Amino acid sequence: MSDRTPALDAVHGMLTLLFAVVALHVLWHAVRSPGAGRRARVDLVLHCAMAAAMAAMPWSPGLPLTGRAATVFFTAAALWFLLTPHRAAVFVDRLTPAVGMAAMAWMSRTPSGAVSVSASASPQETVAAAGIPAAHHTVAHGHADDASTAATLVTVVLTVYLLGCALRSLTRPMPALRAATDPAHRAAATDPYGYVRDGAMALGTAVMLLLPH
């Protein structure tokens, strides 16, 4: 039975609009920054890819937005943000998109050990259909509970971190457009709405982590 409801579809619709706006803003910023370096261009491509994928994910029936390929892609994207900074201050700023990409990889993963059985099957039939000896069923069920607890813990950690990042980004003051002197402030001045975009992306990703998809 589908778990979709009108209320859930409405939330998904708002998230899709949010992510679509973020993707368009990333593209707009890329067009306005033709002289950006290689790392900046890759960053923009990855941000746009993630925003577009998040916009489509609630309405996707499955592949290619979920599964091994998507998990590998967004895991590689998370590593890109972690391994490419040259200074500690830059690393801190790149930690948020890295965690966002990791959250996307986490949501797109295929749960292991899933077995398709009839909803009307009895527990004994389910065990037989899965090819699990009845003597080992209790142990297997215990392992499944442990895996579910670990998955919940990962989801909670990612959600709390992204909510914190969203709050930090959305409450930061707008950068001064003319009085910027150091490299970090000059970079912020070239993308004055970047903090808002990043905060909205982090907030939307955190909400997506908590919704069925």
Side-chain angles (χ1 to χ4, degrees):
M1 179 181 295
S2 173
D3 56 0
R4 302 193 72 92
T5 64
L8 181 60
D9 283 344
V11 174
H12 281 160
M14 289 186 288
L15 289 172
T16 294
L17 179 61
L18 171 68
F19 291 126
V21 170
V22 169
L24 291 173
H25 186 269
V26 172
L27 288 175
W28 177 72
H29 179 59
V31 171
R32 292 178 62 250
S33 307
R38 180 180 64 88
R39 189 182 73 176
R41 289 196 299 270
V42 174
D43 289 352
L44 290 173
V45 169
L46 293 176
H47 279 301
C48 187
M50 178 177 173
M54 292 287 280
M57 178 179 277
W59 319 106
S60 172
L63 296 174
L65 297 180
T66 59
R68 182 171 300 177
T71 302
V72 170
F73 175 81
F74 288 107
T75 299
L79 292 175
W80 164 264
F81 283 101
L82 288 176
L83 300 179
T84 52
H86 304 300
R87 301 188 308 276
V90 177
F91 177 82
V92 173
D93 287 337
R94 293 173 71 79
L95 189 58
T96 299
V99 174
M101 295 293 173
M104 185 65 184
W106 179 251
M107 287 186 286
S108 62
R109 79 195 189 285
T110 302
S112 60
V115 179
S116 177
V117 294
S118 171
S120 61
S122 67
Q124 293 79 9
E125 292 170 336
T126 301
V127 172
I132 303 174
H136 300 298
H137 176 56
T138 302
V139 175
H141 185 69
H143 288 311
D145 288 342
D146 290 342
S148 177
T149 301
T152 300
L153 180 60
V154 171
T155 299
V156 169
V157 170
L158 290 172
T159 302
V160 170
Y161 183 85
L162 288 171
L163 286 175
C165 292
L167 181 63
R168 174 175 175 267
S169 293
L170 293 174
T171 56
R172 291 176 72 169
M174 291 289 289
L177 299 182
R178 296 183 179 180
T181 55
D182 59 278
H185 284 81
R186 283 200 303 269
T190 63
D191 187 16
Y193 300 103
Y195 292 146
V196 177
R197 181 191 65 225
D198 294 342
M201 189 72 182
L203 179 61
T205 304
V207 173
M208 280 288 291
L209 280 164
L210 299 177
L211 294 177
H213 46 275

